[in-house]
Amino acid sequence: MPKVTVDGLEIEVPAGATVLQACELAGKEIPRFCYHERLSIAGNCRMCLVEVKPGPPKPQASCALPAAEGQEIRTDSPMVKTAREGVMEFLLINHPLDCPICDQGGECDLQDQSVAYGRGASRYDANKRAVTEKYMGPLIKTVMTRCIHCTRCVRFSEEIAGVDEIGALYRGEDMQITTYLEQAATHELSANVIDLCPVGALTSRPYAFEARPWELKKTLSIDVSDAIGANIRLDSRGREVMRALPRINDDVNEEWISDKARYQVDGLTKRRLDKVFMRKRGKLTEASWDEAFKAIAAAKPGKKIAAVAGDILDCETMFAAKALLGAMGSKLLEGRQTGMDYDVSNLAAVNFNSTLAGIETADVILVVGSHVRWEAPLINVRLRKAVKNGAKVFLIGPEWETTYPAEFLGTDLAILSKLPKAVADAFKGAARPAIIMGGAAVAKGALGAGLSFAAKYNLAREGWNGFNVLHISAARMGGLMLGYAQPGGMADIVKAKPKVVLSLGADEMDFEPFADALKVYIGHHGDKGAHSADIILPAACYAEKDGTYVNTEGRVQFAEKAVYAPGDAREDWTILRALADALGVSVGFDSFAQLQNAMIKAVPALGVEGLADFGALPKADAKAKVEGMITAYLIKDFYLTNPIARASAVMQQCSAELLHGDNLQEAAE
């Protein structure tokens, strides 16, 4: 490890570190525009200039200069100060004076650094250049006259997303950043370039002119649009969530989020259930809480009461419902709305055991029945990293457009039992082999065959467990930990013929078999579940309550309440607590803290933020076989997978324009 001196302070830096990283280790702030920790080094903005001895007597770009033994680095010399002022002056030559109307204002790197490192005045008095506007789709607003050519967006698209959609045209002063043929950026992570852009060239189209950063309350939350549990920050003003931004968590989402996680938040205020409704003479009419509770109590369900958990539910709500049903003497709990019935006696068999960060280190990966780009865009990023590190990826299922070299083996699940020789040899010789079982494979009953595959190729070995199940529901792992799984799945609930069915935001289930039951929908959007309900009790969504979520790798995370629920809507646990009184039973909690403590006492793993320990994989049945074809994946439309997204105008526009090729007319047309 080389030793260098930064402004008189001697420090030791890791081998391969750059001068910029050495300066940061010494506690010095180095301005930069093009450099980003997760992208390749471009070295084209020249803002990170420092003075280095031994070396030529001139400023050098610290981001592209390796740190070497004995270097003397100056970050505060007159030469460095003058050089940075010159660079800033050149950057501002063509930059328009848009700060008052620019959405980047208040969180703009160019603004901040021009104040800290600029001259304070420009000597340039010629005409500024202008660049025609580009169209990058319904999510990204472009004002390319502001672009300073840092190329962060280009490198993100190529290196992280794996989609060559953004590039540079022309040279010198005529250079322009644009999408291919000026078409929309269509990949699932496209809006991350908004966070990366250090100026106001790329901003959020739906958020344009909505708010300034200093007006917003910032709340730490968890994304519920898929099972990854990406760490997000919800920015709210008053009672409205204005935007969602990623938080850095290297173990989960690094610093990226999917477009759905970012933009479905406008659906939080649309199609909301804010009043109690009851079905009278075939029509849903407004009612009071007291009237609704009396109607449920009048059904006298006794033990004949069931609860079905939705896909974006928090653990506290599921535990409150479980406590209510337990007090009634019922164990009819289910969270797999679409009918899956896999064995959950050992949760290691339904967990993403490699961990999200660990899958990057796998050297051969078999993906069975998963459209990873749609089901978990952030795992797709990890798989791309694995391929860059030399991994081979094989897939079983209908073909989809991958962002890395991969080989499709066909759609027949029987391939699991008899791999082609080249693939089998790759697994036998691998140090860290992995399999990812997607929802389409699990729905076909392939879990046993997957465990048999894991045993055959020794996927679970010392220091490595390569058996993974990729869920698509944010509530799935939490629900399984809380016992929301019947041996026969939803079929067992139907067989029990319950008198009352509590639908806890369950919008994907089939309500037809429960025609004779009283269907009570406790949810927040007027979606499919509400349309089928006899009684609607308006509840809070994920942004309107504190809650615990468990992602597909068994990581327990906590989301905070950002805003209050609208109208008469209440937090789910309070509804269930009041319902317990109406039914004349005791659930053992009167506050959220008591509820959470009871939940943690029942399932201690839910009280520790981090990875839950599910133990070793169960012993596999060597004779387990699976037959059938994977003809389709579980997700048919990436942008419309949950009630919040379906209520979002932005997600509807993305679905129409990016997936279905609709040309949406402007209002004036």
Side-chain angles (χ1 to χ4, degrees):
M1 293 174 69
K3 288 183 179 177
V4 299
T5 305
V6 181
D7 292 341
L9 175 68
E10 186 176 77
I11 60 166
E12 210 170 329
V13 298
T18 63
V19 169
L20 186 149
Q21 290 167 326
C23 293
E24 294 203 324
L25 282 172
K28 301 293 179 181
E29 182 182 308
I30 303 295
R32 85 291 297 268
F33 292 113
C34 67
Y35 175 80
H36 191 277
E37 302 81 53
R38 300 184 199 277
L39 304 176
S40 62
I41 293 169
N44 55 8
C45 77
R46 319 309 284 179
M47 194 63 207
C48 63
L49 295 173
V50 295
E51 190 178 347
V52 182
K53 294 177 183 176
K58 64 175 185 178
Q60 298 189 63
S62 59
C63 70
L65 186 65
E69 181 71 38
Q71 280 178 334
E72 289 182 35
I73 305 163
R74 291 289 304 276
T75 68
D76 55 1
S77 67
M79 180 201 289
V80 171
K81 184 175 183 295
T82 306
R84 288 177 181 171
E85 285 178 354
V87 169
M88 181 58 72
E89 191 174 3
F90 277 118
L91 285 174
L92 294 175
I93 276 176
N94 283 314
H95 196 79
L97 299 175
D98 276 354
C99 297
I101 59 150
C102 177
D103 273 313
Q104 198 84 336
E107 47 194 7
C108 173
D109 291 351
L110 188 64
Q111 255 183 358
D112 296 342
Q113 292 183 38
S114 63
V115 169
Y117 304 102
R119 282 185 73 240
S122 173
R123 293 167 288 184
Y124 188 80
D125 57 7
N127 293 331
K128 292 179 180 283
R129 80 167 194 155
V131 180
T132 54
E133 291 316 310
K134 314 297 177 190
Y135 182 69
M136 290 195 184
L139 302 179
I140 305 169
K141 179 188 172 188
T142 64
V143 185
M144 300 314 287
T145 301
R146 300 171 186 160
C147 179
I148 61 168
H149 304 152
C150 70
T151 67
R152 280 186 184 182
C153 54
V154 178
R155 285 174 285 147
F156 172 83
S157 298
E158 290 179 359
E159 297 164 15
I160 307 296
V163 181
D164 293 338
E165 287 191 339
I166 303 178
L169 300 177
Y170 318 123
R171 302 178 66 185
E173 193 181 45
D174 295 325
M175 181 175 162
Q176 298 180 18
I177 304 291
T178 182
T179 51
Y180 180 64
L181 295 182
E182 296 195 19
Q183 292 176 337
T186 56
H187 60 90
E188 302 76 27
L189 300 164
S190 64
N192 285 291
V193 298
I194 294 167
D195 299 329
L196 288 172
C197 184
V199 297
L202 303 176
T203 55
S204 172
R205 188 180 288 274
Y207 178 69
F209 309 127
E210 289 291 330
R212 287 299 196 183
W214 54 83
E215 301 174 323
L216 305 174
K217 183 183 87 170
K218 298 165 179 62
T219 309
L220 308 183
S221 189
I222 301 297
D223 169 43
V224 296
S225 66
D226 57 27
I228 302 306
N231 289 209
I232 59 173
R233 188 186 89 199
L234 295 177
D235 287 0
S236 57
R237 184 175 62 190
R239 300 186 71 156
E240 184 179 356
V241 175
M242 305 299 291
R243 63 178 180 176
L245 296 174
R247 288 188 285 135
I248 296 176
N249 187 330
D250 287 336
D251 293 328
V252 183
N253 57 305
E254 299 177 277
E255 60 184 270
W256 321 122
I257 54 172
S258 72
D259 292 348
K260 181 166 52 179
R262 186 185 299 265
Y263 285 114
Q264 70 174 6
V265 292
D266 78 306
L268 295 176
T269 56
K270 313 272 196 323
R271 294 190 198 165
R272 286 304 299 266
L273 299 173
D274 57 0
K275 287 183 174 60
V276 178
F277 287 93
M278 292 178 65
R279 196 174 293 278
K280 297 174 182 175
R281 292 185 290 279
K283 286 188 176 181
L284 286 169
T285 57
E286 221 175 289
S288 68
W289 285 98
D290 191 48
E291 196 181 349
F293 287 147
K294 281 179 179 173
I296 298 168
K300 295 182 180 175
K303 292 182 180 179
K304 293 278 190 178
I305 182 171
V308 182
D311 286 347
I312 56 177
L313 212 58
D314 57 295
C315 292
E316 284 80 1
T317 299
M318 288 189 275
F319 182 78
K322 182 180 181 180
L324 173 62
L325 265 67
M328 300 285 290
S330 170
K331 291 184 178 177
L332 296 175
L333 303 166
E334 185 55 75
R336 300 164 297 181
Q337 305 171 59
T338 52
M340 293 185 191
D341 58 354
Y342 46 82
D343 178 23
V344 294
S345 55
N346 186 328
L347 291 183
V350 290
N351 188 46
F352 202 93
N353 296 294
S354 298
T355 72
L356 303 181
I359 198 68
E360 291 178 13
T361 63
D363 46 11
V364 58
I365 303 163
L366 177 65
V367 180
V368 187
S370 176
H371 187 326
V372 186
R373 268 187 76 171
W374 282 8
E375 293 175 15
L378 297 171
I379 286 185
N380 197 56
V381 168
R382 304 275 191 182
L383 294 182
R384 181 171 162 76
K385 277 192 184 180
V387 170
K388 277 186 168 182
N389 293 333
K392 293 179 179 175
V393 176
F394 303 97
L395 302 101
I396 297 175
E399 292 196 16
W400 48 275
E401 190 180 348
T402 61
T403 57
Y404 38 81
E407 184 182 341
F408 282 87
L409 303 177
T411 58
D412 192 348
L413 279 168
I415 296 169
L416 255 181
S417 306
K418 193 174 181 183
L419 288 178
K421 185 176 183 307
V423 182
D425 290 345
F427 269 91
K428 284 173 186 170
R432 295 167 82 86
I435 185 172
I436 298 176
M437 304 290 292
V442 174
K444 290 277 188 182
L447 203 53
L451 287 165
S452 177
F453 177 93
K456 182 178 179 181
Y457 292 102
N458 190 24
L459 263 57
R461 53 188 77 176
E462 190 177 344
W464 175 252
N465 187 340
F467 182 80
N468 303 299
V469 173
L470 177 55
H471 298 292
I472 61 172
S473 157
R476 185 58 41 83
M477 281 305 290
L480 296 179
M481 290 170 75
L482 287 165
Y484 273 73
Q486 299 292 309
M490 283 295 291
D492 281 11
I493 305 283
V494 174
K495 271 185 214 164
K497 295 185 177 174
K499 290 182 180 178
V500 173
V501 176
L502 298 180
S503 170
L504 307 171
D507 291 286
E508 318 303 327
M509 67 181 277
D510 181 10
F511 287 89
E512 203 172 317
F514 304 106
D516 298 330
L518 181 69
K519 299 178 284 295
V520 181
Y521 181 75
I522 303 175
H524 40 80
H525 277 79
D527 207 75
K528 300 170 189 173
H531 296 167
S532 305
D534 299 312
I535 296 175
I536 294 173
L537 304 178
C541 70
Y542 77 101
E544 296 157 1
K545 58 186 173 184
D546 293 329
T548 303
Y549 297 89
V550 186
N551 74 355
T552 192
E553 61 175 348
R555 185 177 299 276
V556 180
Q557 302 183 110
F558 190 74
E560 296 174 7
K561 177 177 178 174
V563 292
Y564 288 94
D568 290 339
R570 297 290 181 266
E571 293 184 29
D572 310 60
W573 75 268
T574 62
I575 297 172
L576 293 161
R577 174 65 186 81
L579 185 54
D581 284 346
L583 292 169
V585 295
S586 171
V587 288
F589 57 83
D590 294 311
S591 68
F592 183 78
Q594 289 175 353
L595 163 63
Q596 205 169 44
N597 289 337
M599 179 184 77
I600 292 167
K601 189 175 179 183
V603 186
L606 291 174
V608 183
E609 289 203 42
L611 289 172
D613 184 6
F614 297 131
L617 286 177
K619 195 169 182 183
D621 179 2
K623 296 178 181 176
K625 303 279 187 210
V626 64
E627 293 181 348
M629 313 286 277
I630 297 177
T631 54
Y633 297 111
L634 295 192
I635 293 181
K636 304 292 186 289
D637 188 320
F638 169 72
Y639 296 103
L640 304 175
T641 55
N642 64 63
I644 300 172
R646 288 191 284 267
S648 163
V650 177
M651 291 295 95
Q652 289 173 19
Q653 185 180 351
C654 286
S655 172
E657 187 174 338
L658 303 181
L659 293 186
H660 305 297
D662 295 358
N663 288 319
L664 300 181
Q665 292 188 323
E666 298 293 336
E669 297 176 304

